[in-house]
Amino acid sequence: EIVLTQSPGTLSLSPGERATLSCRASRGIRSHLAWYQQKPGQAPRLLIYDSSNRATGIPARFSGSGSGTDFTLTISSLEAEDFAVYFCQQRTDWPLTFGGGTKVEIK
Amino acid sequence: EVQLLESGGGLVQPGGSLRLSCAASGFTFGMYAMSWVRQAPGKGLEWVSAISATGDKTYYADSVKGRFTISRDNSKNTLYLQMNSLTAEDTVVYYCTKVKATSDWFFDSWGQGTLVTVSS
């Protein structure tokens, strides 16, 4: 099973600041990584797929990068609605796996 | 607009069974693989099971293999998850999800979730 490790567990930032979230895979997954955002009481929402492609309707302040084992989700300038939990997910191999999540909270 | 509406959750005793359904609309259901993902309250996401667009291929997490069965009825635009031998560890919210594209196991649409509680 491919284990995805997200860091940090919690990121405390202010609106307007840049957020950098990390996801590390236990073995190479090429670019087969997605990022999801989840707000309290809501289902997750797909933000980024195949490491760097924004999903439909996702603002340009969200960007993804990486390949192999190390991936990054960057939010260039945090807006109020961006404070949420973010999960990464790989599709290279079965079982599909998710990272444990990073909570982005208001400082 | 894609809509996924789960139903069938509720309270069940340990060792019991439950069948979840997911009614899909807003897209050509029979052209997309589907999946179930679950989440304990306040915890992370766990992929549970997936099924190909035609239903000929199914996949399971080790934690549910042999106990859960995923299926679909493309004539009814409905996805199912039959859950047997339920334990307290199965007490979570179950999400129905749609893949973004063929053979692309990322999920671009999610239902609102249905809560399953396993307790005596």
Side-chain angles (χ1 to χ4, degrees), chain A residues 5-107:
Chain A
T5 302
Q6 291 188 240
S7 61
T10 302
L11 200 50
S12 299
L13 295 168
S14 301
E17 289 193 294
R18 182 184 190 89
T20 303
L21 288 67
S22 174
C23 178
R24 177 164 290 176
S26 58
R27 59 180 175 89
I29 58 171
R30 290 177 279 181
S31 296
H32 297 163
L33 188 97
W35 291 93
Y36 299 85
Q37 177 194 65
Q38 186 177 33
K39 297 179 182 179
Q42 296 184 17
R45 175 176 71 147
L46 178 66
L47 297 176
I48 301 286
Y49 64 94
D50 285 339
S51 178
S52 62
N53 298 295
R54 276 190 301 277
T56 302
I58 301 304
R61 64 181 181 273
F62 291 92
S63 63
S65 64
S67 67
T69 60
D70 291 301
F71 300 85
T72 301
L73 172 69
T74 301
I75 310 171
S76 59
S77 179
L78 282 165
E79 299 200 2
E81 63 264 31
D82 300 336
F83 291 94
V85 180
Y86 294 82
F87 296 97
C88 56
Q89 179 233 325
Q90 65 82 21
R91 68 170 180 89
T92 289
D93 200 6
W94 302 99
L96 305 177
T97 50
F98 290 87
T102 291
K103 180 180 182 180
V104 178
E105 65 175 23
I106 299 176
K107 186 174 181 180

Side-chain angles (χ1 to χ4, degrees), chain B residues 48-120:
Chain B
V48 174
S49 182
I51 187 167
S52 63
T54 58
D56 61 331
K57 296 179 182 178
T58 57
Y59 309 87
Y60 297 94
D62 286 346
S63 58
V64 306
K65 198 173 293 183
R67 300 189 300 123
F68 290 12
T69 302
I70 191 171
S71 62
R72 63 191 298 161
D73 186 337
N74 287 348
S75 68
K76 295 183 178 180
N77 290 350
T78 303
L79 176 72
Y80 302 101
L81 186 68
Q82 176 67 43
M83 305 185 295
N84 300 329
S85 303
L86 287 163
T87 71
E89 286 67 41
D90 299 315
T91 295
V92 293
V93 172
Y94 288 78
Y95 292 104
C96 167
T97 68
K98 166 190 165 292
V99 300
K100 186 181 70 61
T102 303
S103 299
D104 179 345
W105 296 99
F106 294 136
F107 309 118
D108 67 349
S109 297
W110 297 61
Q112 85 289 348
T114 187
L115 176 63
V116 171
T117 302
V118 183
S119 175
S120 55

